Amino acid sequence: LHAANNNQGTEVYEWMGRAMRQSKFCLVPPGDTCVTSRLYSAISAGCIPIVLCDMLHGAFELQANYSSFWVKVPSNSFIHDPLSLLNLLREMPSAELEARFRQMVRRAPDVLFD
């Protein structure tokens, strides 16, 4: 999103942050490469990252143990059948969702900076 002036840009980012904080899941698509700040924005907002890039590993991988909380979807699967992701997330048991969320909160300090 492009804003005409700084105030509009700030409002857009604040709106996006509120929307992410109210979400259970946040998509993390790749940009020019798999490495993207979207992963850390999702973690910071408290929504479980849905990673759409096969090659993304994340910083401090050993400490963060991303696989304990993110949902990583093979990009070919998503491209050929994006609705299957929606079904996967809808069918996720609440106990698994809660466990992923707890792990994300636990691991957030390992990868986020104030």
Side-chain angles (χ1 to χ4, degrees), residues 55-97:
M55 303 304 288
L56 182 62
H57 296 285
F60 311 108
E61 188 175 8
L62 294 176
Q63 295 85 358
N65 190 18
Y66 294 99
S67 63
S68 69
F69 61 86
W70 69 14
V71 176
K72 199 167 189 182
V73 179
S75 55
N76 271 343
S77 297
F78 181 75
I79 290 168
H80 293 301
D81 186 12
L83 291 180
S84 65
L85 172 59
L86 186 57
N87 293 333
L88 173 75
L89 299 177
R90 284 183 175 159
E91 294 170 1
M92 184 178 290
S94 59
E96 179 181 346
L97 178 61

Side-chain angles (χ1 to χ4, degrees), residues 19-28 38 42-43 45-51 69-73 85-94 96-98 100-101 104:
M20 290 175 72
R21 284 190 301 275
Q22 294 172 0
S23 300
K24 291 180 184 176
F25 303 102
C26 290
L27 286 178
V28 180
R38 293 176 184 106
I43 295 168
C47 54
I48 296 172
I50 308 302
V51 176
F69 61 86
W70 69 14
V71 176
K72 199 167 189 182
V73 179
L85 172 59
L86 186 57
N87 293 333
L88 173 75
L89 299 177
R90 284 183 175 159
E91 294 170 1
M92 184 178 290
S94 59
E96 179 181 346
L97 178 61
E98 291 170 15
R100 287 179 183 274
F101 182 78
M104 181 182 61

